[in-house]
Amino acid sequence: MSEFMTIQTFSKRTGISKSALRYYESENLLHPIRSKNGYRLYSEDQITTAKLISSLRLAGIPIKDIQMYLKENETVRQQMIKNWIKTLKQKHHLLSVSLRYLESYQKNDQVYLLEKNAEKIVWFVAESNPGKFGNHFRQRKRELERLNISINNGYLRYLSGKESIKAQIGFGVSDDVEIEGLSDIDSIEIMSPCLCIALPYTSPMTEIQKGYAQLMNYAIEHGLIPAGPIIEWYRGEHFEDLDLLMPVARISKMEGRS
DNA sequence: CTCTGTATGGGCGTGCCTCA
DNA sequence: TGAGGCACGCCCATACAGAG
């Protein structure tokens, strides 16, 4: 009984097609030895590697990354696996959110899914009664525009209070904008890209809490776990469009080596 | 600015032919 | 029966150019 097997046997043992095995060899992933007649000969040990390669491919990991993985030492390999697991978990979460959304989709449902891109945001702190932050917005907007800073979006993030509310109001600006000449900025944040559930809000601003409750209820009903606080998102020339956003998942690219 | 078409690349699968 | 080589096709994603 030889410890080596032909491509046919190896294919049967691993469940990987012969053409895929030849392809893996051409991509330097598997290295069968050759018999006198030029046949590929695979060893028992290569079954584990072959199964690993096809499993990683099924998980969507590119050939190049697998090539890197196979060349690395044990420490780096462990790190790469950790990163892949992290990325796959995020993808899995993202898919489960999309799945729940689609499964519960109704034509009249106003809630929609939104992939929010990364954005640089300048935050200020403001205090006012519920739904009465308009003046704060206008004032801060004027201040920024005086400095020739163009504004893409407006945001409001609740901090504390009930009758008198403390909140952050923020403005999305271009990445390359340098903020100088404003003394009372609360913070400058690069908001991470995230998947959000969003609700267009058109009722009177004094009833904005109802919108929060509606979005919160939607999340609870659909088993979605918030990944951050609800944010009011204002758009348009005069911020006339308002959506409430609840982040439900962080978005990231497939990570290889850290 | 939006739409449409085209190109390119990755990752195979399939088929055909020839040779041993 | 199994090898090699080659061509072609498929599906999907992304990029880019050109037209309207």
Side-chain angles (χ1 to χ4, degrees), chain A residues 81-217:
Chain A
I81 293 267
K82 264 190 187 172
N83 288 336
W84 286 333
I85 289 171
K86 190 178 152 200
T87 311
L88 285 174
K89 277 185 176 168
Q90 286 171 335
K91 279 188 175 178
H92 180 257
H93 180 52
L94 216 116
L95 284 172
S96 74
V97 170
S98 306
L99 183 63
R100 277 177 204 173
Y101 173 76
L102 286 174
E103 281 177 344
S104 62
Y105 180 78
Q106 289 166 356
K107 275 190 178 153
N108 295 331
D109 219 333
Q110 286 183 293
V111 175
Y112 64 98
L113 275 182
L114 170 82
E115 197 181 318
K116 196 86 181 69
N117 295 328
E119 193 176 16
K120 184 172 181 175
I121 300 175
V122 188
W123 289 106
F124 302 89
V125 172
E127 254 183 284
S128 201
N129 293 329
K132 300 286 181 190
F133 282 89
N135 284 335
H136 289 287
F137 262 108
R138 279 185 284 276
Q139 190 197 327
R140 294 301 186 188
K141 196 165 177 254
R142 273 199 301 272
E143 285 173 23
L144 289 170
E145 279 164 357
R146 214 173 290 144
L147 296 167
N148 279 329
I149 295 169
S150 67
I151 294 161
N152 306 318
N153 295 296
Y155 299 96
L156 187 142
R157 196 154 65 184
Y158 171 86
L159 289 174
S160 62
K162 206 166 184 189
E163 249 91 283
S164 175
I165 284 176
K166 199 175 171 187
Q168 284 179 303
I169 56 177
F171 298 91
V173 298
S174 302
D175 292 344
D176 51 356
V177 161
E178 297 291 331
I179 311 290
E180 280 170 23
L182 284 176
S183 53
D184 50 355
I185 289 174
D186 181 48
S187 59
I188 296 173
E189 176 192 349
I190 306 295
M191 191 158 75
S192 309
C194 56
L195 184 72
C196 301
I197 50 171
L199 174 69
Y201 186 79
T202 48
S203 304
M205 285 307 295
T206 46
E207 295 169 22
I208 188 80
Q209 280 118 322
K210 288 184 186 173
Y212 277 63
Q214 198 184 332
L215 194 58
M216 195 67 88
N217 285 337

